[in-house]
Amino acid sequence: MDDISKVWETLVQPEGGTIVYLVLDGLGGLPDPERGQTELQVAHTPHLDQLAAQSSCGLLDIVGPGITPGSGPGHLALFGYDPLIYAIGRGILSALGIDFALQEGDVAARVNFATIDAQGRITDRRAGRIDTATNRRLCEKIRQAVTLSFQGEYVFEAVSEHRAVLILRGPDLSGNLCDTDPQSTGVEPHEPTARTEEAHHTAQIVRSFVTQVRDVLADEQPANMILLRGFDRYRPWPSLADRFGLKGVCVADYPMYRGVSRLLGMEALPPPGGLEARLQALQSCYGDAYDFYFLHVKHTDSSGEDADFDAKVQALEAVDRLIPQVTALEPDVLVVTGDHSTPAVMGSHSWHPVPVLLRARTARIDDVSRFDEYACARGILGLRPGVHLMGLALAHAGRLSKYGA
Amino acid sequence: MDDISKVWETLVQPEGGTIVYLVLDGLGGLPDPERGQTELQVAHTPHLDQLAAQSSCGLLDIVGPGITPGSGPGHLALFGYDPLIYAIGRGILSALGIDFALQEGDVAARVNFATIDAQGRITDRRAGRIDTATNRRLCEKIRQAVTLSFQGEYVFEAVSEHRAVLILRGPDLSGNLCDTDPQSTGVEPHEPTARTEEAHHTAQIVRSFVTQVRDVLADEQPANMILLRGFDRYRPWPSLADRFGLKGVCVADYPMYRGVSRLLGMEALPPPGGLEARLQALQSCYGDAYDFYFLHVKHTDSSGEDADFDAKVQALEAVDRLIPQVTALEPDVLVVTGDHSTPAVMGSHSWHPVPVLLRARTARIDDVSRFDEYACARGILGLRPGVHLMGLALAHAGRLSKYGA
């Protein structure tokens, strides 16, 4: 069976217990060479350790061996959507990442501001990583100047630094377009080109857009051009409710996570603004309205990306202090894990498996009493694909019936 | 996702670190009933143990649970080619095993010399395991006497003992032929038969060959017949360079391993002749020309096949003495593992998972400090399919980009 989650779908019960996912973004780490311990090992996390002692523990190979998950695929795996099967275009992810309310048929592409020389050849694919304020100014300038003659409209919005997003809304649009970003310098950007017959119309629109933008940016430096990639057409996905009978809610500050949650039919609360506010939002919405609660913690990842080992340790300790308030909700299933590793010593996402703990009345409690990479490696859950997690959560919530008689 | 290696292909970077695979053929073992320890546990291997202490350790289920790998599939798995997907005909493996330079379109079959009685019924499928010298004499006799009338040529070569290989080269040949070996005694060999329409031409050629051989061998005892199986048509495979961006080199004495390596586009050095010579060859070729170095050790397997526990222990100790010369190369990723287990107490290949260690700057170093089956079972890599190894090696060599945003 390629997609085990399809089997869970056939077993889902109409009722069951509540599930809380506490997702610490970029949770997994690597030892600091001088201290010889990982962020989780160095951090003082008495509550997480106590929780581990009351739980089944293990490691999750989130997407697959050696594969470094982006945040989108990482979360999809945790939610029971194998990201190798439920592929999500980068353009769609970018639109979700600015909290844009996509509609079916919208086409989105990721945009880089870039620098080209007098001959039109790319000299910097990221325009010297311009700051977000400049990006916003340029987006506004483009919106003022560029008009497209098609039965629809476009949205052009800053993301951050040199990144932006283009969204086209209208009839008969296609996402089957080649990237204009050649992924190298010293060459000209590719022309917007259709991959299939039915995409010609969309390619024409994009060509007109890029030509106008080039004129608009002609007097700008260093951001005098844009590069497009990851075109994708949005279609609603089968929801957590459709697939697993879960009415879900997302509590997150960053648009990307709310966007992915909405893609799966979860309700995304307005950004509470800060970790403690998020916890209060969780407490406020906890009750009969939802079955599945997703609380997202960003700072564990961003400190890792900043290669700031101590900041990641502090972020973990900050989460730990709030754990009693999460356990006080007494969910039937409580999961703490991450969407990927972000070792501070690497300063980037990585492929290393991520610690996981699952507390439930029916959990086999192992003797893991520290929540870290090495302790969890000896846990009773073993090393598993990330997509397994949702099946275990559903089962422990009493939401899956017997398979066969 | 059925074939995770296809995902790695999409993530491969043009540059990255060097990878060294030290493959100890038949590495895994079983406890000697009297000593209660495996070959690896009995062996004095201070360097391998030290390496384990500096590495991530684990066990590899090379092909699958309960599946005893042949050497060909075992190595394919380690190289990231799932042998259940990248199926290789036994005839092709036999041709590779005698270092025969196959060309696209060649058809090869594995041959057994066998004994038939006066009624043509098989009495021994292996002709009493005739010695290799006799095999060579019979092959020469067949080559002298048998002529085939088709637009091509045939090669008939001894392998060893009762085993030989038939290769047909010419236009429009097919590998879709049934085995003539009925896999039992007391019955006649099957007629060479086409499985598909387009294979009729090839079946005719093989029928003529078998008929003539039977006449040639009529006065021989016990090898008075041949049995054919594993017909396959050779087509070049996607190379390690195509798939994973790795320019590879193989240092091995046995033709089979050089053949499998060449099948994957690796350069196969001439047989150095002996373990120390192989190590020198590795040292000599180590540098900028290659990214991936495969050093093969045969004696760990052959001593296991001989059911010689002490000889296998000595073979492991001989490898251990050379480890400092391998680590001195300072590859970015160093892997020590095997292509399957060959427990001396069984005297044959087995399905038991194989210890693996992976040393790299980004490896999570666990507390495994002995390189053996039981210690590695507690390693942080866990128990994994053999095909995972290449993904991990690529990731640790910095050769895989992030999956999704």
Side-chain angles (χ1 to χ4, degrees):
Chain A
M1 178 43 121
D2 235 23
D3 184 0
I4 192 70
S5 67
K6 289 278 177 199
V7 181
W8 307 331
E9 288 181 28
T10 68
L11 306 175
V12 163
Q13 298 294 290
E15 302 289 333
T18 52
I19 301 170
V20 170
Y21 267 28
L22 175 56
V23 178
L24 312 187
D25 207 299
L27 175 64
L30 279 175
D32 173 58
E34 292 187 7
R35 279 174 275 201
Q37 291 195 302
T38 68
E39 300 89 323
L40 269 171
Q41 288 180 310
V42 169
H44 178 62
T45 54
H47 299 113
L48 282 167
D49 296 343
Q50 187 185 23
L51 206 49
Q54 300 165 349
S55 302
S56 297
C57 296
L59 287 179
L60 298 178
D61 227 354
I62 299 290
V63 175
I67 296 176
T68 296
S71 294
H75 277 83
L76 289 177
L78 298 179
F79 295 147
Y81 293 69
D82 185 336
L84 303 178
I85 297 168
Y86 292 86
I88 187 169
R90 285 173 169 251
I92 299 298
L93 271 177
S94 289
L96 296 175
I98 59 159
D99 229 347
F100 184 81
L102 286 164
Q103 292 178 11
E104 179 157 11
D106 288 355
V107 166
R110 178 164 289 203
V111 177
N112 268 15
F113 283 102
T115 312
I116 55 173
D117 63 17
Q119 284 74 45
R121 291 175 307 219
I122 301 164
T123 56
D124 186 341
R125 288 179 53 247
R126 296 180 186 87
R129 293 187 185 273
I130 51 169
D131 60 34
T132 306
T134 305
N135 183 330
R136 291 220 179 88
R137 179 180 63 76
L138 296 175
C139 287
E140 178 58 28
K141 186 174 178 183
I142 287 167
R143 285 193 297 264
Q144 292 296 331
V146 175
T147 53
L148 296 176
S149 54
F150 76 113
Q151 300 283 328
E153 50 184 340
Y154 78 87
V155 172
F156 191 80
E157 287 284 353
V159 175
S160 65
E161 293 183 313
H162 55 284
R163 291 181 294 268
V165 59
L166 170 67
I167 299 148
L168 302 175
R169 175 170 293 171
D172 304 325
L173 296 174
S174 166
N176 279 321
L177 266 60
C178 300
D179 293 351
T180 74
D181 184 347
Q183 300 277 349
S184 55
T185 54
V187 295
E188 289 181 47
H190 298 313
E191 281 287 301
T193 312
R195 277 214 192 90
T196 57
E197 185 70 28
E198 113 281 354
H200 278 305
H201 169 58
T202 313
Q204 276 182 327
I205 298 168
V206 175
R207 218 170 292 138
S208 165
F209 182 77
V210 172
T211 307
Q212 292 181 61
V213 166
R214 187 171 171 162
D215 289 343
V216 171
L217 298 179
D219 57 350
E220 297 284 344
Q221 266 304 331
N224 62 355
M225 186 52 175
I226 57 168
L227 303 174
L228 305 173
R229 60 196 165 113
F231 286 91
D232 196 16
R233 186 169 185 275
Y234 178 75
R235 65 219 175 283
W237 284 24
S239 70
L240 275 178
D242 296 336
R243 299 191 67 206
F244 307 136
L246 294 177
K247 198 155 179 312
V249 62
C250 158
V251 188
D253 276 328
Y254 275 67
M256 160 71 91
Y257 311 99
R258 292 208 311 285
V260 170
S261 299
R262 274 205 313 271
L263 180 71
L264 308 185
M266 296 168 67
E267 184 168 337
L269 298 189
L275 183 53
E276 299 194 13
R278 258 171 280 151
L279 197 63
Q280 282 164 20
L282 175 68
Q283 288 167 328
S284 301
C285 76
Y286 196 85
D288 292 337
Y290 307 103
D291 313 300
F292 179 78
Y293 301 82
F294 158 46
L295 179 64
H296 181 260
V297 174
K298 180 66 182 174
H299 200 50
T300 38
D301 175 59
S302 45
S303 54
E305 293 245 33
D306 292 343
D308 191 336
F309 194 96
D310 293 331
K312 189 170 171 191
V313 168
Q314 285 158 26
L316 292 165
E317 292 176 346
V319 173
D320 189 74
R321 285 190 289 275
L322 301 177
I323 290 293
Q325 297 178 54
V326 179
T327 53
L329 299 173
E330 299 188 353
D332 296 295
V333 179
L334 173 58
V335 168
V336 182
T337 190
D339 58 337
H340 53 78
S341 291
T342 305
V345 297
M346 291 178 69
S348 65
H349 291 204
S350 82
W351 62 92
H352 300 86
V354 180
V356 61
L357 66 79
L358 185 155
R359 193 177 75 157
R361 201 174 42 79
T362 45
R364 283 187 179 149
I365 298 167
D366 49 38
D367 58 5
V368 176
S369 57
R370 276 284 299 167
F371 189 58
D372 68 46
E373 297 82 357
Y374 295 95
C376 286
R378 295 213 189 75
I380 196 141
L381 295 180
L383 171 69
R384 292 168 170 277
V387 79
H388 283 198
L389 180 64
M390 180 54 86
L392 296 175
L394 290 167
H396 283 287
R399 291 180 168 275
L400 298 184
S401 63
K402 186 158 64 175
Y403 180 80
Chain B
M1 178 47 108
D2 238 23
D3 184 1
I4 193 71
S5 67
K6 289 278 177 200
V7 181
W8 305 331
E9 288 181 28
T10 68
L11 303 175
V12 163
Q13 298 294 289
E15 301 288 334
T18 53
I19 302 170
V20 169
Y21 267 28
L22 175 57
V23 178
L24 312 187
D25 207 299
L27 175 64
L30 280 174
D32 175 57
E34 293 187 6
R35 278 174 276 201
Q37 290 195 303
T38 68
E39 300 91 321
L40 269 171
Q41 288 180 310
V42 169
H44 178 63
T45 54
H47 299 113
L48 283 168
D49 296 343
Q50 186 186 24
L51 206 48
Q54 300 164 349
S55 301
S56 295
C57 296
L59 287 179
L60 297 177
D61 226 355
I62 299 292
V63 175
I67 297 175
T68 297
S71 294
H75 276 84
L76 288 178
L78 298 179
F79 296 147
Y81 293 68
D82 185 337
L84 303 179
I85 296 168
Y86 292 85
I88 187 169
R90 284 171 168 255
I92 299 297
L93 271 178
S94 290
L96 295 175
I98 60 161
D99 229 347
F100 184 82
L102 286 165
Q103 293 179 10
E104 180 158 11
D106 288 354
V107 166
R110 180 165 289 202
V111 178
N112 268 17
F113 282 101
T115 312
I116 54 174
D117 64 16
Q119 285 72 44
R121 292 176 304 220
I122 300 164
T123 57
D124 185 340
R125 288 179 52 249
R126 296 182 186 84
R129 291 187 186 272
I130 53 169
D131 61 31
T132 305
T134 305
N135 183 329
R136 291 220 180 88
R137 179 180 62 77
L138 297 175
C139 286
E140 178 61 27
K141 187 174 177 183
I142 288 167
R143 286 192 296 263
Q144 293 297 329
V146 175
T147 52
L148 296 176
S149 55
F150 76 112
Q151 298 284 329
E153 50 184 340
Y154 78 87
V155 173
F156 192 80
E157 286 285 353
V159 176
S160 65
E161 293 182 314
H162 55 284
R163 290 182 294 268
V165 58
L166 170 66
I167 299 148
L168 302 176
R169 176 170 294 171
D172 304 325
L173 296 175
S174 167
N176 279 322
L177 267 61
C178 299
D179 293 352
T180 75
D181 183 348
Q183 299 277 348
S184 56
T185 54
V187 295
E188 289 182 47
H190 299 310
E191 281 287 300
T193 313
R195 278 214 192 90
T196 57
E197 186 68 30
E198 113 282 352
H200 280 303
H201 168 59
T202 312
Q204 277 182 325
I205 298 168
V206 175
R207 219 170 291 138
S208 164
F209 182 76
V210 172
T211 308
Q212 292 181 61
V213 167
R214 187 172 170 160
D215 290 344
V216 172
L217 297 180
D219 57 350
E220 296 285 344
Q221 266 304 331
N224 62 356
M225 188 50 176
I226 58 167
L227 303 174
L228 304 174
R229 60 196 165 112
F231 285 92
D232 196 16
R233 186 168 186 275
Y234 177 74
R235 66 220 175 282
W237 283 25
S239 71
L240 275 178
D242 296 335
R243 300 191 67 210
F244 307 134
L246 293 177
K247 197 154 184 308
V249 62
C250 158
V251 189
D253 277 328
Y254 276 68
M256 160 71 91
Y257 310 100
R258 293 210 311 285
V260 170
S261 299
R262 274 204 313 267
L263 180 71
L264 308 185
M266 295 168 67
E267 184 168 337
L269 297 189
L275 182 54
E276 298 195 13
R278 256 170 282 149
L279 197 64
Q280 282 164 18
L282 174 68
Q283 288 167 328
S284 301
C285 76
Y286 196 85
D288 293 336
Y290 307 101
D291 313 301
F292 180 77
Y293 301 81
F294 158 45
L295 179 64
H296 181 260
V297 174
K298 180 69 181 170
H299 200 49
T300 38
D301 175 58
S302 46
S303 53
E305 292 245 32
D306 292 342
D308 191 337
F309 194 98
D310 293 331
K312 190 169 170 190
V313 168
Q314 285 158 25
L316 291 165
E317 291 176 345
V319 172
D320 189 75
R321 284 190 288 275
L322 301 177
I323 290 293
Q325 296 178 55
V326 179
T327 53
L329 298 173
E330 299 188 352
D332 296 295
V333 179
L334 173 58
V335 168
V336 182
T337 191
D339 57 337
H340 53 78
S341 291
T342 306
V345 298
M346 293 178 67
S348 66
H349 291 203
S350 82
W351 61 92
H352 300 85
V354 180
V356 60
L357 67 78
L358 184 155
R359 192 176 77 157
R361 203 174 42 80
T362 47
R364 279 185 182 155
I365 299 167
D366 50 37
D367 59 5
V368 176
S369 56
R370 276 284 297 168
F371 189 59
D372 67 49
E373 297 82 356
Y374 296 92
C376 286
R378 296 209 191 79
I380 194 133
L381 294 179
L383 171 68
R384 293 170 168 276
V387 78
H388 283 198
L389 180 63
M390 179 55 87
L392 295 177
L394 289 167
H396 283 285
R399 292 181 169 272
L400 298 183
S401 63
K402 187 159 65 173
Y403 180 79

